[in-house]
Amino acid sequence: MRGMSLIVQTVARLVAGMLFLFGCYIVLHGHLTPGGGFAGGVLIAAAYILVSLAFGSVENVEQHRYTFSSVFESMGGLGFVLLGLMGYVAGLDFLNNLWADYGTPLRLVSGGIIPLANVAISMKVGAGLFGIFLALGASRFVMKD
Amino acid sequence: MVPFLACIVLFLFGLYAVLLKRNIIKIIIGFSIMEYAVNLFFAFAGFKREALAPIITDVGMVRNFVDPLPQALVLTSIVIALATTALMLALAMRIYEKYKTFDIAEIRRLKG
Amino acid sequence: MLESSFVPLLVAIPLLGAFVIPLLSKLWEGFADLVGNLVSVFLLGLAVYGLVHLSTGATGIVYKMGGWLPPIGITLVYDSLTALVVLITNLVVFPALLFSTRYLDQYTGRWKYYTLFMLLLAGLNGVAISGDLFNMFVFIEISAVASYALVAFGTRAEELEAGFKYMVMGEVGGLAILLSVALLYAKTSTLNLADMSQSLAAGGHTTFFWFALGTILVGFAIKMAMVPFHSWLPDAYLSAPAPVTAVLAGVFSKVVGVYAMSRVVFNLFGLSRTTAPAFFDMLVAFGLVSIVAGGLLAINQRNYKRLLAYSSVSQMGYILVGFGIGNYWGVVGALFLVVAHAATKGLLFLSARSIERSTGTRDIDSIGGLEKSMPVTAWSYILGSMSLAGIPPFAGFFAKLLIVLGAVASRMYWLAILAALFSTVTLGYLMKVIGKVFVGRKSTEPTPAQESPPMILLALVILVVVVVLFGIGFQPVLDWVVQPAAEALFGGLAYARLVFGG
């Protein structure tokens, strides 16, 4: 995929980092404010997609990124299922909110496993969306089999 | 009642596009329209007059919220719609590679 | 609590498998086979455990996700009907995955196949155990999306076309189900099946009630390929990889179509033959159309896989007729046919693939005399055909006998005669295949063919044993699996009492 013009590249250089950070903020405050794992994951994916679109890439880099996103996606899903199974380890139900902590407004470290679940979901969604973008738009290598 | 019927009409528009359009991309757009119609329906179902967005910002808040459950459902159904749309577009791309057309009338190697 | 805590594992374990496979197969390709088959063995064990657990006297298990109570939290319900569905799902998936280990030698991307298969399995188990309508929809979509991708897995032109066709039909069905869920939520303000059933029972049979029921049934009818919506089925079954076809024909249409439909009709809308005779007559009518159309389309096929696909349409018609008869023996017969047909169709599609693998053709006129060269495959196909056609002492016979008995008990003699008559049509088209493909013809030489590798034969033998056991041991199957499931359906609103523990 070819890169875009200097203007786009300059703006992307400024915006991508902020987009990524904003995504992280949405994920980490998912149990307190609107948003959460899905919305934050989409923002993080958007940051990666922006960089890919603006600066372009060659085929083997895309291959590498595709593997990377696939690994992260699996790890996110795995993390969520393992969080659910942790309820068993504690002798409770599946997906039990382990510390019986239903969240305190405006307190970041609260809400039991909900923030952790948000992080897992954001990994799954962010990496998944980036993978979809690569598979659909960026590359021809997925087509070769 | 009227908004609900409007949603159903929108759903039928989408169905029309899916059933009668010949271009694969237009069929996919039809699916998107149907999904939006159902999502809109959910949003209407949770509406309550003079109610707030269901966000707790303070502990002692008066709780006159709209029903937050439909919004969670809409989010879930958007995720599913995303997955199906992405898969459909991927299939459409592969079909275009093999047949060099998006016209379903010309994509007929299978009989029946 | 601990003995009931296996319920969420039915979904969590295949999901775990689906996420572990892509990671591990980066290290070694063979992990995909290993993990996939381990998961299916484990789930089969869980399904059997669940059945044994229910047979000790409990009417059902209600599992509260995260400890939240029923109308608010997500509940998982494991009653006798669920136990039946989970059992047949994992009973067919286990040999199908064994078959896949050798089948995939012709493809690249082994881990993608297994990941999708695990998602399909998670979705199917999830539909069976979910006690809430929206979760049921989500699991239906998970399994459906995985199956669309699996149908197009070969990425040849025909496979992509069949996949797209299937996807368009399936998604219209999925959206119809979602629309109905939205309608019901707007009306009852709840999603829990038990809570919603009580609310609907209080509301009476209004126009809205029938509209919501009709919308959701259109969705299920598309998923189970009832006759006006059957056009995707033969193409999708022919194009999908053989183990996937076995799961689609054997299990997917049963779980997503029949199970979800019967759960919604009997337990959610609380209908029965006495309260809504016209509705049940309509089910019978649609079932008959499916039987006749499927049977007639199957007779003229020269492609043995397409013939099996149309035969599926016809057999789904029998199941629908059984439910439509609506008395006890009709429903028991329909559920027994669900069990019998799942194993039988799985076996037939797998052995059809084994024939195609050795001979390279799907045309029944260009092969013959395979009984000599591929005895195991040939006999598993023949035994499967006999069960499907309803020859005693196989499972298919008892299922159809029960349906006919049900029709006679309801004084629908014409229906009994028609059902018996079209059973001979089934026998006719299956005998045509057996006569041409397996029994040696005098005029031509037997087609040279090699028996398939042992792993494939093992999968076939497992399914043959299952089919024969369901036939010979039909009394225990009836007592332990099918009749409790029928009672769970006839309980109607007793489902709500089970969930709320009152």
Side-chain angles (χ1 to χ4, degrees):
Chain A
M1 182 170 41
R2 282 179 304 134
M4 292 184 177
S5 68
L6 183 66
I7 300 171
V8 178
Q9 290 190 356
T10 313
V11 174
R13 198 172 285 136
L14 287 173
V15 169
M18 281 195 273
L19 206 52
F20 184 84
L21 272 182
F22 186 58
C24 291
Y25 161 77
I26 294 277
V27 172
L28 292 177
H29 288 72
H31 54 303
L32 302 174
T33 54
F38 183 76
V42 171
L43 279 167
I44 292 173
Y48 278 94
I49 291 172
L50 181 64
V51 171
S52 295
L53 279 177
F55 296 98
S57 53
V58 286
E59 198 168 282
N60 59 359
V61 174
E62 280 167 12
Q63 178 83 56
H64 184 74
R65 282 179 185 161
Y66 189 71
T67 314
F68 162 84
S69 72
S70 153
V71 167
F72 257 76
E73 189 188 352
S74 301
M75 274 163 51
L78 205 59
F80 190 79
V81 178
L82 289 179
L83 269 180
L85 289 176
M86 265 165 65
Y88 283 134
V89 180
L92 299 164
D93 300 303
F94 186 73
L95 266 185
N96 201 301
N97 195 339
L98 294 174
W99 300 286
D101 178 359
Y102 299 121
T104 324
L106 306 176
R107 182 67 54 82
L108 191 59
V109 186
S110 69
I113 63 167
I114 297 173
L116 299 176
N118 269 334
V119 172
I121 292 169
S122 73
M123 275 165 71
K124 172 90 185 143
V125 171
L129 264 183
F130 189 54
I132 289 175
F133 162 76
L134 287 174
L136 282 181
S139 54
R140 297 274 122 192
F141 71 87
V142 191
M143 299 283 169
K144 280 188 224 143
D145 36 52
Chain B
M1 196 64 197
V2 175
F4 291 103
L5 287 180
C7 286
I8 296 209
V9 171
L10 190 60
F11 187 86
L12 293 178
F13 274 129
L15 193 61
Y16 161 80
V18 169
L19 296 180
L20 295 175
K21 289 291 172 191
R22 284 172 51 175
N23 189 318
I24 286 183
I25 302 297
K26 286 184 183 167
I27 291 177
I28 296 173
I29 292 173
F31 275 115
S32 296
I33 294 173
M34 284 161 81
E35 278 147 11
Y36 290 143
V38 179
N39 291 345
L40 203 58
F41 195 103
F42 267 119
F44 281 135
F47 176 75
K48 214 161 77 173
R49 209 165 280 282
E50 291 177 5
L52 299 170
I55 306 160
I56 302 177
T57 50
D58 194 5
V59 184
M61 231 175 117
V62 184
R63 297 212 173 103
N64 183 26
F65 293 151
V66 296
D67 187 354
L69 190 57
Q71 305 183 8
L73 302 183
V74 166
L75 194 63
T76 313
S77 87
I78 286 174
V79 176
I80 293 171
L82 171 81
T84 55
T85 311
L87 181 59
M88 251 189 230
L89 285 170
L91 279 178
M93 275 171 66
R94 304 296 287 260
I95 286 175
Y96 187 80
E97 274 191 350
K98 306 277 181 193
Y99 291 88
K100 303 292 173 210
T101 176
F102 276 132
D103 187 348
I104 53 167
E106 289 170 32
I107 302 173
R108 288 218 174 275
R109 276 188 215 174
L110 291 166
K111 53 166 184 154
Chain C
M1 192 182 79
L2 272 179
E3 61 269 22
S4 69
S5 60
F6 72 94
V7 181
L9 291 182
L10 287 168
V11 176
I13 295 296
L15 277 183
L16 207 60
F19 300 133
V20 164
I21 285 169
L23 286 178
L24 284 184
S25 64
K26 300 263 188 305
L27 305 176
W28 178 50
E29 187 87 335
F31 270 125
D33 290 316
L34 193 67
V35 174
N37 282 294
L38 279 181
V39 166
S40 76
V41 171
F42 185 74
L43 286 182
L44 186 59
L46 277 187
V48 173
Y49 172 78
L51 202 65
V52 172
H53 185 73
L54 283 188
S55 70
T56 56
T59 50
I61 299 163
V62 179
Y63 191 86
K64 302 166 189 72
M65 290 278 278
W68 296 91
L69 290 176
I72 297 164
I74 294 169
T75 48
L76 306 176
V77 181
Y78 197 91
D79 66 355
S80 320
L81 183 61
T82 308
L84 179 146
V85 169
V86 169
L87 181 71
I88 61 160
T89 307
N90 295 300
L91 211 52
V92 176
V93 165
F94 168 56
L97 277 170
L98 273 185
F99 195 97
S100 304
T101 53
R102 293 312 301 271
Y103 182 81
L104 286 173
D105 292 348
Q106 53 177 318
Y107 292 121
T108 56
R110 201 173 264 262
W111 64 272
K112 291 180 188 161
Y113 175 89
Y114 278 102
T115 304
L116 287 169
F117 214 115
M118 289 295 114
L119 287 177
L120 176 63
L121 184 53
L124 291 175
N125 281 333
V127 172
I129 63 175
S130 115
D132 134 357
L133 198 56
F134 192 77
N135 273 322
M136 200 187 247
F137 163 76
V138 171
F139 283 123
I140 286 174
E141 284 300 296
I142 289 174
S143 56
V145 170
S147 74
Y148 307 142
L150 280 170
V151 166
F153 190 76
T155 65
R156 284 200 301 268
E158 294 83 8
E159 287 155 342
L160 292 170
E161 188 188 333
F164 191 77
K165 198 171 170 184
Y166 173 35
M167 187 157 189
V168 168
M169 294 290 281
E171 273 311 288
V172 171
L175 284 167
I177 296 172
L178 182 62
L179 181 65
S180 181
V181 173
L183 284 166
L184 289 169
Y185 180 77
K187 186 78 177 173
T188 61
S189 298
T190 177
L191 289 167
N192 190 299
L193 282 176
D195 204 10
M196 197 186 264
S197 72
Q198 287 177 335
S199 177
L200 281 174
H205 293 186
T206 54
T207 315
F208 172 84
F209 178 92
W210 294 114
F211 182 67
L213 179 63
T215 318
I216 204 165
L217 285 188
V218 167
F220 293 142
I222 291 175
K223 301 270 183 198
M224 68 195 261
M226 248 163 68
V227 145
F229 310 112
H230 69 289
S231 61
W232 59 266
L233 181 136
D235 295 339
Y237 283 12
L238 257 68
S239 305
V244 177
T245 311
V247 172
L248 280 183
V251 181
F252 184 84
S253 56
K254 309 290 184 304
V255 177
V256 172
V258 177
Y259 164 77
M261 185 201 77
S262 57
R263 181 68 94 196
V264 163
V265 168
F266 286 93
N267 292 136
L268 175 60
F269 285 83
L271 295 176
S272 67
R273 181 100 211 167
T274 44
T275 54
F279 173 76
F280 280 83
D281 284 339
M282 204 189 69
L283 281 187
V284 170
F286 273 111
L288 273 180
V289 171
S290 287
I291 292 176
V292 173
L296 294 182
L297 283 166
I299 287 178
N300 284 324
Q301 295 300 327
R302 291 175 64 217
N303 177 334
Y304 51 81
K305 278 181 110 173
R306 195 172 272 269
L307 184 145
L308 287 178
Y310 280 119
S311 141
S312 262
V313 175
S314 169
Q315 302 298 313
M316 293 306 274
Y318 275 103
I319 294 172
L320 215 58
V321 164
F323 280 116
I325 290 169
N327 60 16
Y328 184 76
W329 290 109
V331 172
V332 168
L335 288 173
F336 199 85
L337 190 55
V338 166
V339 175
H341 186 243
T344 310
K345 245 330 159 6
L347 170 64
L348 281 173
F349 272 114
L350 289 185
S351 37
R353 170 62 204 174
S354 174
I355 298 166
E356 192 193 343
R357 186 178 190 279
S358 297
T359 62
T361 177
R362 290 173 176 176
D363 184 6
I364 55 174
D365 287 332
S366 57
I367 39 180
L370 287 185
E371 202 248 308
K372 295 273 186 309
S373 48
M374 313 174 64
V376 180
T377 306
W379 277 101
S380 49
Y381 194 98
I382 291 170
L383 290 177
S385 302
M386 284 161 86
S387 171
L388 188 67
I391 295 174
F394 290 100
F397 167 73
F398 296 110
K400 284 178 189 164
L401 184 68
L402 286 170
I403 291 176
V404 170
L405 279 180
V408 171
S410 291
R411 299 180 185 284
M412 295 192 250
Y413 299 113
W414 54 273
L415 184 62
I417 292 167
L418 265 181
L421 192 71
F422 265 87
S423 183
T424 62
V425 172
T426 314
L427 185 64
Y429 58 72
L430 290 170
M431 279 301 144
K432 185 178 81 169
V433 177
I434 292 175
K436 284 192 173 168
V437 175
F438 298 116
V439 181
R441 284 173 299 171
K442 301 265 182 322
S443 56
T444 51
E445 289 287 298
T447 314
Q450 269 202 324
E451 188 59 285
S452 300
M455 206 56 132
I456 286 182
L457 296 185
L458 178 64
L460 293 181
V461 169
I462 290 172
L463 275 172
V464 167
V465 169
V466 168
V467 167
V468 171
L469 275 186
F470 280 168
I472 296 171
F474 89 100
Q475 190 63 48
V477 174
L478 207 60
D479 288 345
W480 291 341
V481 184
V482 178
Q483 282 187 329
E487 274 150 25
L489 279 181
F490 275 108
L493 300 179
Y495 182 79
R497 286 197 291 280
L498 168 69
V499 171
F500 291 121

